[in-house]
Amino acid sequence: AADERGFRFRHALTREVVRAGTLPPERADLARRALAALEAAAGERQDLAARLAEAAGEPHRAARLLLATARRDRAAGALETAAATLDRARGLTAGDGDLATEVDEELTEVLALRGETERAEAVGEALLTRLEVAGAPAARRAPIVLGLVRAAIASGEWDAAAERAAAARRLAEEAGDERLSVRATALAAHVALDRALRAGPSGGEPSVQVDGPVAVAEEALAAAEKIGLPEVACEALEVIGRAARQRDVGAAQAAFQQALEIAERNGLTLWRVRALHELGTIDFLRAHRPERLIEAREAAVNAGALASATVMDLQIAKMLAVRFESEACLATARRCEADSRRYGLDALPHAIALEASALAQLGREEEMEERIAEAVAQSGDDPDIQSVVWGHSRVYLSLLRDDLDRTRMLLERGMEYVRRAPGAPPRPSRGLWALMHALDGDGGEEAVAEVRSSGATVNNVVAGYVGHAEAVLLGRAGRVEEAVQAMARAEADFGDLHWYRHQTRRLVAPAAIAGGWGDPLAWLREALDYFDARRHERIASACRSLLRKAGAPVPRRPQAGVAVPERLRALGVTGREMEVLTLVAEGLSNADIGERLFLSPRTVERHVSSLLARTGARGRTELASIAHAALATASGTAAPAAPATTSAPG
């Protein structure tokens, strides 16, 4: 059949029959003629051209076409396809040393970007040895060394990465190649920043550790913009943004946004993924929202950047842990562990430690300790991992058991490791440690000052804990209005992280009762309602005990017989909200519902507002109708008419 696109067979079998009827010399001649026609058309079908060149008996020509295809695929972010294409090309380069060198050079870079670190290092080291033996010039060796730097970064071999980065800069200088020199400079800044963050500051301020790498990155950025190297500009901006994130999240976001715009403008798929990743990390710190990280991970998977996708899984799992989505956190952390083992990534012990945190939230202590032991075995005495297992995994379990004495001990142990790894991420335990010191009247001001000066309050959970600590200190000093304002700001910092808000209210309420500030009884009732609904019985029991000690009515436990109909459970309606909804359907006012359930009218109002939001109802009358319909569906009876409701506010 022929059409405007040319001649094509209706079925592959027809093509094979025609091929079988031609002799090998005839097929080779036809392939050469087709290849000439294809090249004359100036198209972009190097893959087809490569197959034709191979069929025409020109393997070196085919390999060069495949190399061009792989370079195009790498630029487009199709790393898996690029790696497979280069493997094909390697089999066609026999006898052409220069071409084999070019193919292996590209393969080293692609494998490093994919996260196949062991193979990248093997291919790169063998190639570098061949070039050194052959006396190849510096300009020929430097790109291979840069690929080996990326492989060392992915595997966490920071000393090796630093040595290779320095060697690449020396080779670029020796070659007198400005473009190569700028690439090496940006990559050296990347390595220097990672090493500095892991080593921590020498003088206590984050700026001490990052100013050097930032200066190098700024030098690379200026040169990249001058000579037109958008990939290098993206790498330099990533370094600048990651350093700024230690002190100024807004400045960091601006740098990453600029990198994203450069990547999108120049079709740089991998750098777009990396910029989205960094912007998603800021979303993580500011509000623990996962959407942009999930988008970045999907883009990384589609591009074949498997190492990047694995690192993003680690961050997504951290976010799920903070949001107390424990089962999802466990599944994501396990996927990260498996991929980290597969690709030899240094994310491995972090993924295992996150599994321990998820197991702690689920109350599975024995499994938690098994995962902790494995994380420590994988990392040695890495203070960052130790700070996680002492300050988070075990702390989650002790908080759920409301064992505050053990929580204090664990936090102190965790902070010992935090101080040994001040470049580690600003995890929530730092803020909780400061809050516990404020509550105990034991160096609270100093603890708050230490956490604030560390820059850890860029994490909204740390900021929330520290804000609550400041409220406690102000209340104890008799500065009641300031304490209330500080509490409001701290709760706003927590955003929609309800577990942290209610657990912190449980901790702060005794100090507020003693100091006569805030609304601690309402806090305790709302916290009790929250933890009852989630069956965190020990924290709920502590809330009841504190209410009794304060002489306040103690809400009864939710009735075991009260069930949430499936229709409403799918909307997120809790057991307590169902109790409120049932009484709304009976026509009771907020005050009457509060008396019936031992809740404050303000708490009832919040439950009614939540029910309106969940169901989409426009008022109490519609809420009552929804309740009757759902209950009737659950019982299999016709829904009765809703009673008249009071005019009490929603």
Side-chain angles (χ1 to χ4, degrees), residues 233-249:
C234 288
E235 180 141 45
L237 285 164
E238 182 179 296
V239 173
I240 292 166
R242 289 179 59 214
R245 196 166 59 209
Q246 302 289 307
R247 300 165 291 186
D248 184 345
V249 174

Side-chain angles (χ1 to χ4, degrees), residues 204-206 209 246 422 426 430 448-457 462:
E205 289 296 328
Q209 58 184 340
Q246 302 289 307
R430 300 195 199 188
V448 166
E450 179 177 343
V451 177
R452 283 213 178 275
S453 67
S454 73
T457 51
V462 178

Side-chain angles (χ1 to χ4, degrees), residues 223-290:
E225 290 176 334
K226 179 180 177 182
I227 63 177
L229 291 177
E231 289 187 67
V232 176
C234 288
E235 180 141 45
L237 285 164
E238 182 179 296
V239 173
I240 292 166
R242 289 179 59 214
R245 196 166 59 209
Q246 302 289 307
R247 300 165 291 186
D248 184 345
V249 174
Q253 182 163 5
F256 297 140
Q257 185 63 40
Q258 184 180 349
L260 177 63
E261 291 168 2
I262 291 172
E264 290 180 340
R265 191 163 58 245
N266 292 276
L268 304 176
T269 301
L270 292 179
W271 285 106
R272 176 179 179 274
V273 168
R274 290 175 70 149
L276 283 173
H277 178 191
E278 297 295 352
L279 289 167
T281 300
I282 288 180
D283 291 346
F284 169 44
L285 291 171
R286 282 182 160 170
H288 287 80
R289 302 303 309 171

Side-chain angles (χ1 to χ4, degrees), residues 8 42 51 58 194 249 254 297 387 458 521 523 529-530 589 639:
R8 58 192 175 91
R51 289 198 298 272
E58 301 182 37
D194 278 312
V249 174
R297 184 191 181 278
S387 72
V458 296
L521 300 183
W523 301 341
D529 180 37
Y530 179 87
S589 69

Side-chain angles (χ1 to χ4, degrees), residues 14-15 133 148 167 189 251 254 256-257 356 387 430 435 443 610:
T14 307
R15 182 189 63 198
V133 169
L148 290 171
F256 297 140
Q257 185 63 40
S387 72
R430 300 195 199 188
L435 174 59
S610 176

Side-chain angles (χ1 to χ4, degrees), residues 25-37 52-53 55-58 61:
E26 186 179 2
R27 288 199 298 271
D29 180 62
L30 287 170
R32 278 190 291 272
R33 289 161 60 191
L35 177 58
L52 289 169
E58 301 182 37
R61 188 177 184 185

Side-chain angles (χ1 to χ4, degrees), residues 416-595:
E416 292 175 11
Y417 288 107
V418 165
R419 293 186 184 103
R420 289 171 50 191
R427 298 189 180 93
S429 64
R430 300 195 199 188
L432 180 57
W433 170 81
L435 174 59
M436 296 303 284
H437 273 276
L439 291 170
D440 293 343
D442 176 23
E445 293 87 352
E446 293 81 2
V448 166
E450 179 177 343
V451 177
R452 283 213 178 275
S453 67
S454 73
T457 51
V458 296
N459 183 318
N460 70 309
V461 178
V462 178
Y465 273 139
V466 170
H468 281 87
E470 290 171 335
V472 169
L473 295 171
L474 289 165
R476 188 174 294 139
R479 297 157 65 179
V480 172
E481 289 301 321
E482 292 176 75
V484 171
Q485 292 169 9
M487 182 81 172
R489 289 193 299 271
E491 294 216 326
D493 282 328
F494 280 145
D496 66 347
L497 301 178
H498 303 301
W499 191 92
Y500 285 88
R501 173 178 293 106
H502 291 297
Q503 190 267 339
T504 305
R505 285 177 167 184
R506 173 265 176 273
L507 294 174
V508 170
I513 292 170
W517 60 274
D519 194 1
L521 300 183
W523 301 341
L524 287 170
R525 292 189 190 101
E526 292 175 17
L528 172 58
D529 180 37
Y530 179 87
F531 291 117
D532 263 339
R534 283 148 188 81
R535 299 183 181 180
H536 293 168
E537 295 177 1
R538 296 193 186 182
I539 309 180
S541 178
C543 292
R544 286 191 175 85
S545 177
L546 290 168
L547 285 168
R548 289 191 192 96
K549 289 179 181 177
V554 179
R556 60 183 174 83
R557 289 180 172 81
Q559 296 178 11
V562 176
V564 182
E566 177 60 33
R567 175 183 170 187
L568 296 178
R569 188 164 62 248
L571 297 175
V573 174
T574 67
R576 178 66 81 188
E577 288 172 346
M578 189 65 212
E579 289 186 303
V580 172
L581 180 58
T582 302
L583 296 178
V584 168
E586 292 180 15
L588 273 64
S589 69
N590 285 356
D592 292 336
I593 293 171
E595 288 182 11

